[in-house]
Amino acid sequence: MKKLILLSSLLVITNFIKAEIKPCISINTDNVQLVLKVKEDGRLYQTYLGEKLNDKVNLNNLYMPRGTVSSVCTNGNEIYPVMGTEDYFDPALEVRHSDGNPTSFLKYDSHTEKSIEGGKETIIFLKDYLYPVNVNIHYVAYPEEDIIKQWTEIFHDESEPILLNRYASSMLYLESDDYYLTEFSGNWAKEMHMSESPLTYGKKVIDSKLGTRTAMLTQPFFELSLGNPIQENSGETILGTLGWTGNFSFTFEVDNNNQLRIISGINPSASAYLLEKGEKFVTPEFIFTFSPEGVGQASRNFQKWALKHSLYKGEEDRLTLLNNWENTFFDFDEEKLTELFGEAKDLGVDMFLLDDGWFGNQYPRSGDNAGLGDWEVTNSKLPNGIPYLVKKAKDTGVEFGIWIEPEMVNPKSELAEQHPEWIFKIPDREPYYFRNQLVLDLTNPEVQDFVFGIVDTLMTNNPGLNYFKWDCNSPITNIYSQYLKDRQGNLYVDYVRGLYNVLDRIKEKYPDLEMMLCSGGGGRCDFEALKYFTEFWCSDNTDPIERLYIQWGFSQFMPSKSMCAHVTNWNKDASVKFRVDVAFPCKLGFDIDLKGMDKEDRQYCTNLVKEYNRLKPVIYSPDLYRLVSPYETKHCVLERVSETKDHAILAIYDMHPDFNEQLLPTRLQGLDPDAEYKIEEICLMPGEKSNFTFDGRVFSGDYLMKVGLNLIGGKDMDSHIVELTKI
Ligand code: GLA
């Protein structure tokens, strides 16, 4: 027995000595590390993922153990496993070569490392040794924000096209006794509903096959907690997302050794992609962070990174606005709109946003069943056109923004009559409709020109226009492209690429333009789209109670200035103050009949807009502390702290407290313990005084974080905004 142990230790040692000559690659941020190692077989394996290791650790010694070597699975942890190897779980890549062979083996060839703005990029070059197929794996690590993103390039030199049956962006491995997965599912008006479940042997897949309105049922985000259910301030936590405005897929597979494999990428379902010789298939970015201190820190990492490196105009200001959708729906004319410009001005917001219903002549858009596609102003409704409205708004002192839904068409439209070949429709089959509309075929460059032209024409005719709300109310239906002919497997991928092509052209020609991403509410929201959009519409559901959950969900990844929140008449049982206070810590807007409000409520709104403008720097800070969860209590408390820790705001919501509920103090977080803070309740109703005993007093950061304040109360749908200023 002793001999056996000695022999196996010797083997291990010899292996290490041999292994030392093979490259070991570290992808790391200030606090997170991913280590990759070329092993004896020349293939590349993940040997570590977790908290950054002390510099003294010899990375060559790392070996993510795979339990006992089983007879079915003698290998594992390959960073980009391919169909055909001895690893019998789902591969990241599956290629059918031009001769019909469905197997590949990728070996490490070389790698490069270089500094790029804000981080470091590592590119690893892998090659099949039998077929001329190349795979380049890219990593970018952002040290300060602890974010790593990863994507893959696939190309080949085979004589005929190859078929990509799977083409993940990333494959990661984790080891723990238990795994808890949080997903964000829902439906129209129920976006981002969070639910957690343990992962056990086998697969759990979160994916979308909806194409355009891709996140209507589930969003491209996940959270994983190792060992225990997820917590705000403790526990090893991973947050991941895919930057792709189309079908996505995350596969979580616990294998026979209780190791977790995560495959992230475009959903390969119905998307076997035909790749021509010399063409490069670039997968979307998989973006993730690891936090040893729970999801709160992981969210701050994402928000900080998004503001600095991802969100369009992430470090710039945002416009507050008055939208007319919930107020007028399709029923408006010039007089009504110009009146609303005045109301926007009185309210103090920056912009008026004209929503759906302004276009179409032969088939006027007076409901959602006609006119989509005919982007000319309805003369009978708005006889002086958009230029008049833009000028009138500017003369009144507000900017002007406009709604479009440029990827879609109503069958009742001139566009559908003139260009039936531009529409996804299955030959010889009856089409089916989602919201009475069909989807334009953006795989076709002519259609891309048309869609770009909608924005371009509006901008050319109205140089003063500075905002678009870009909507997308239907998933891809009637899945057939006349343009792609026998390459239908490329449809879902090429659609998204066509969309990005249009957005690239818009961004290049109109770099100052700000745009809101909308999709029948929050049915489309990802970090690639947000490279073009300054913000997104979280949901059509603006009931303040339900919004608290939706915003809580999006805040896991998204910075506040990207999350559009509008005050409306949903849930009139809630006071106007409560509804306004719920929108306050996001990107503020109003979509409500202000004239119908009583004087005090209206005054409250005007005062709040002023306070919002004053507090924007702290509201837009990435440092969010979610202190009290609506999922765990009948309350919700959020704290935003400025990056210098000299300013903070608390947004406090008592939703539906229990009778005689025991109300404990809430401990604050993220403050400077040695600093003194003056605390004041702000945003009070006209004439109202604060009932908080701490109002106007000074406390140390240490006290606030260790003892806390009595913030939550027992009144139904009651809210408070509190400001902390370092003195
Ligand atoms: C979608 C959007 C709404 C509104 C309507 C207009 O549902 O989410 O905000 O713009 O379209 O038709």
Side-chain angles (χ1 to χ4, degrees):
M1 185 64 181
K2 260 189 184 169
K3 258 189 194 166
L4 206 68
I5 295 173
L6 196 67
L7 193 69
S8 60
S9 329
L10 265 176
L11 269 175
V12 172
I13 292 165
T14 0
N15 273 340
F16 279 157
I17 293 166
K18 270 204 218 155
E20 251 156 21
I21 49 170
K22 296 283 185 194
C24 190
I25 304 163
S26 172
I27 319 284
N28 60 269
T29 66
D30 285 352
N31 299 296
V32 183
Q33 192 157 20
L34 171 68
V35 183
L36 315 173
K37 172 87 187 130
V38 180
K39 292 201 178 162
E40 286 311 296
D41 57 10
R43 286 150 60 185
L44 187 62
Y45 296 84
Q46 178 188 315
T47 52
Y48 179 80
L49 171 58
E51 206 172 341
K52 186 159 181 268
L53 298 160
N54 185 304
D55 284 344
K56 289 182 192 127
V57 172
N58 181 349
L59 299 184
N60 271 307
N61 290 348
L62 290 166
Y63 174 71
M64 194 179 233
R66 297 219 12 101
T68 47
V69 175
S70 85
S71 53
V72 253
C73 183
T74 55
N75 226 321
N77 297 356
E78 203 170 353
I79 67 149
Y80 206 66
V82 198
M83 154 70 194
T85 65
E86 66 285 58
D87 184 293
Y88 290 100
F89 295 90
D90 273 356
L93 179 71
E94 191 181 323
V95 175
R96 220 174 94 123
H97 299 282
S98 48
D99 62 3
N101 184 339
T103 66
S104 306
F105 273 79
L106 293 177
K107 290 206 170 181
Y108 167 87
D109 185 65
S110 59
H111 75 276
T112 60
E113 290 172 348
K114 67 166 191 264
S115 294
I116 58 161
E117 210 215 312
K120 184 168 137 193
E121 177 165 23
T122 305
I123 311 176
I124 302 168
F125 303 93
L126 306 175
K127 279 185 177 162
D128 190 321
Y129 59 84
L130 207 56
Y131 287 87
V133 171
N134 295 57
V135 172
N136 301 343
I137 315 265
H138 291 246
Y139 295 90
V140 175
Y142 295 90
E144 279 176 36
E145 296 83 16
D146 287 326
I147 292 278
I148 298 177
K149 60 183 194 182
Q150 180 183 351
W151 70 98
T152 303
E153 293 173 334
I154 306 157
F155 51 100
H156 71 98
D157 205 18
E158 297 192 18
S159 53
E160 295 293 318
I162 61 171
L163 194 66
L164 303 181
N165 285 317
R166 290 167 190 262
Y167 32 84
S169 296
S170 149
M171 176 109 178
L172 290 177
Y173 303 84
L174 291 164
E175 267 184 344
S176 175
D177 290 337
D178 298 292
Y179 307 97
Y180 292 86
L181 174 71
T182 301
E183 59 186 299
F184 300 84
S185 56
N187 205 331
W188 175 75
K190 291 191 198 320
E191 291 86 346
M192 276 320 243
H193 181 83
M194 295 169 69
S195 57
E196 185 178 50
S197 47
L199 294 173
T200 52
Y201 180 83
K203 273 192 266 187
K204 157 87 185 173
V205 177
I206 299 175
D207 71 348
S208 158
K209 302 185 184 78
L210 296 171
T212 34
R213 194 169 161 177
T214 191
M216 182 170 68
L217 305 179
T218 187
Q219 302 274 345
F221 307 103
F222 69 81
E223 294 176 350
L224 257 176
S225 178
L226 306 185
N228 294 297
I230 200 158
Q231 295 197 46
E232 217 32 57
N233 299 311
S234 64
E236 293 190 315
T237 312
I238 288 178
L239 266 59
T241 181
L242 193 76
W244 183 246
T245 318
N247 295 347
F248 58 85
S249 165
F250 302 107
T251 303
F252 304 87
E253 183 163 22
V254 178
D255 68 17
N256 52 317
N257 292 313
N258 205 47
Q259 193 172 46
L260 176 66
R261 298 148 171 259
I262 310 168
I263 304 181
S264 308
I266 293 175
N267 191 345
S269 167
S271 294
Y273 197 94
L274 209 57
L275 189 70
E276 300 286 339
K277 174 176 172 163
E279 200 185 330
K280 204 176 247 183
F281 188 96
V282 184
T283 72
E285 292 170 355
F286 171 66
I287 309 146
F288 73 98
T289 187
F290 172 89
S291 154
E293 285 156 21
V295 61
Q297 184 56 50
S299 293
R300 291 187 287 280
N301 293 349
F302 255 101
Q303 295 198 21
K304 204 187 254 182
W305 169 80
L307 292 175
K308 275 205 190 142
H309 304 295
S310 183
L311 175 69
Y312 194 41
K313 298 182 187 290
E315 294 184 295
E316 293 176 31
D317 196 13
R318 292 294 183 272
L319 300 170
T320 52
L321 60 83
L322 177 67
N323 190 192
N324 70 311
W325 176 243
E326 301 261 332
N327 184 359
T328 66
F329 292 103
F330 294 97
D331 180 21
F332 56 83
D333 57 18
E334 248 166 27
E335 202 189 324
K336 214 179 227 178
L337 293 182
T338 45
E339 207 178 294
L340 291 176
F341 299 163
E343 288 185 23
K345 177 70 188 162
D346 292 346
L347 179 62
V349 292
D350 304 310
M351 178 173 58
F352 175 80
L353 170 61
L354 173 59
D355 215 283
D356 195 357
W358 59 267
F359 49 88
N361 282 302
Q362 193 175 330
Y363 302 101
R365 178 79 171 168
S366 45
D368 63 15
N369 62 341
L372 261 190
D374 301 344
W375 298 102
E376 274 160 11
V377 77
T378 310
N379 296 324
S380 55
K381 206 170 185 176
L382 304 169
N384 295 300
I386 301 299
Y388 169 81
L389 293 175
V390 176
K391 182 170 181 312
K392 208 66 190 154
K394 297 245 177 201
D395 290 348
T396 316
V398 287
E399 303 292 344
F400 187 86
I402 199 163
W403 180 96
I404 52 172
E405 192 178 359
E407 297 156 78
M408 305 280 158
V409 61
N410 281 129
K412 256 171 108 179
S413 68
E414 291 179 70
L415 180 69
E417 287 169 2
Q418 286 157 11
H419 286 291
E421 78 285 7
W422 283 3
I423 302 171
F424 285 139
K425 188 184 164 308
I426 306 171
D428 306 321
R429 290 194 197 277
E430 272 303 301
Y432 61 98
Y433 301 106
F434 194 102
R435 209 197 191 205
N436 307 306
Q437 63 199 56
L438 293 166
V439 183
L440 292 176
D441 180 359
L442 267 178
T443 68
N444 182 341
E446 274 183 35
V447 181
Q448 294 167 21
D449 288 346
F450 169 78
V451 174
F452 170 71
I454 297 166
V455 173
D456 196 29
T457 308
L458 276 163
M459 289 302 288
T460 309
N461 296 341
N462 306 283
L465 198 60
N466 54 355
Y467 188 90
F468 281 88
K469 175 178 176 184
W470 180 302
D471 210 338
C472 168
N473 279 296
S474 173
I476 295 185
T477 53
N478 306 285
I479 303 145
Y480 185 89
S481 156
Q482 293 184 54
Y483 174 77
L484 287 174
K485 299 197 176 69
D486 60 350
R487 296 157 56 101
Q488 298 297 320
N490 294 21
L491 187 151
Y492 283 114
V493 173
D494 286 355
Y495 183 94
V496 181
R497 291 188 177 152
L499 175 66
Y500 292 153
N501 178 27
V502 172
L503 293 170
D504 275 328
R505 288 165 71 183
I506 294 173
K507 189 166 161 178
E508 201 185 316
K509 188 157 178 193
Y510 304 106
D512 294 334
L513 194 61
E514 297 180 22
M515 295 203 286
M516 179 205 293
L517 176 63
C518 175
S519 184
R524 201 187 220 189
C525 175
D526 69 89
F527 280 112
E528 191 64 25
L530 289 177
K531 287 180 181 168
Y532 304 98
F533 291 86
T534 46
E535 54 223 56
F536 67 95
W537 183 225
C538 299
S539 177
D540 282 345
N541 187 340
T542 42
D543 176 321
I545 295 288
E546 297 190 22
R547 260 287 169 143
L548 285 175
Y549 291 92
I550 293 168
Q551 292 169 189
W552 183 273
F554 277 117
S555 81
Q556 310 285 312
F557 288 81
M558 293 295 166
S560 53
K561 68 165 66 163
S562 70
M563 290 167 50
C564 298
H566 297 176
V567 179
T568 73
N569 265 336
W570 281 53
N571 193 352
K572 280 192 183 163
D573 290 342
S575 66
V576 165
K577 172 170 164 60
F578 190 82
R579 284 180 261 159
V580 172
D581 288 359
V582 167
F584 182 75
C586 298
K587 207 231 106 179
L588 180 67
F590 293 79
D591 194 356
I592 192 166
D593 174 18
L594 291 156
K595 278 206 321 223
M597 273 184 199
D598 69 36
K599 213 173 131 217
E600 285 199 334
D601 284 338
R602 209 168 152 161
Q603 186 60 47
Y604 182 75
C605 294
T606 319
N607 294 347
L608 186 115
V609 171
K610 286 200 192 100
E611 286 296 66
Y612 184 83
N613 286 334
R614 179 176 72 83
L615 294 165
K616 266 180 179 175
V618 59
I619 295 173
Y620 292 165
S621 155
D623 289 336
L624 170 69
Y625 296 86
R626 289 178 292 251
L627 303 183
V628 178
S629 165
Y631 280 94
E632 289 161 16
T633 69
K634 308 287 171 68
H635 312 264
C636 174
V637 181
L638 303 167
E639 180 193 8
R640 283 267 169 198
V641 183
S642 68
E643 288 189 84
T644 49
K645 297 184 190 292
D646 55 4
H647 205 179
I649 49 159
L650 297 166
I652 304 148
Y653 310 100
D654 300 313
M655 297 155 74
H656 299 300
D658 288 339
F659 173 71
N660 218 0
E661 192 181 318
Q662 191 190 6
L663 302 166
L664 296 171
T666 303
R667 291 180 190 171
L668 275 51
Q669 292 175 36
L671 301 172
D672 174 356
D674 299 326
E676 301 268 288
Y677 293 90
K678 178 161 193 214
I679 310 205
E680 264 175 304
E681 179 172 9
I682 56 167
C683 305
L684 290 151
M685 286 296 285
E688 198 196 2
K689 291 220 157 41
S690 175
N691 284 327
F692 285 131
T693 51
F694 54 73
D695 184 50
R697 293 176 55 197
V698 172
F699 295 84
S700 70
D702 187 56
Y703 178 95
L704 293 167
M705 293 193 289
K706 287 182 181 158
V707 181
L709 296 173
N710 288 308
L711 299 176
I712 54 174
K715 257 168 84 183
D716 211 51
M717 290 197 279
D718 195 28
S719 59
H720 305 273
I721 308 290
V722 169
E723 180 178 5
L724 283 80
T725 316
K726 186 170 161 180
I727 52 169

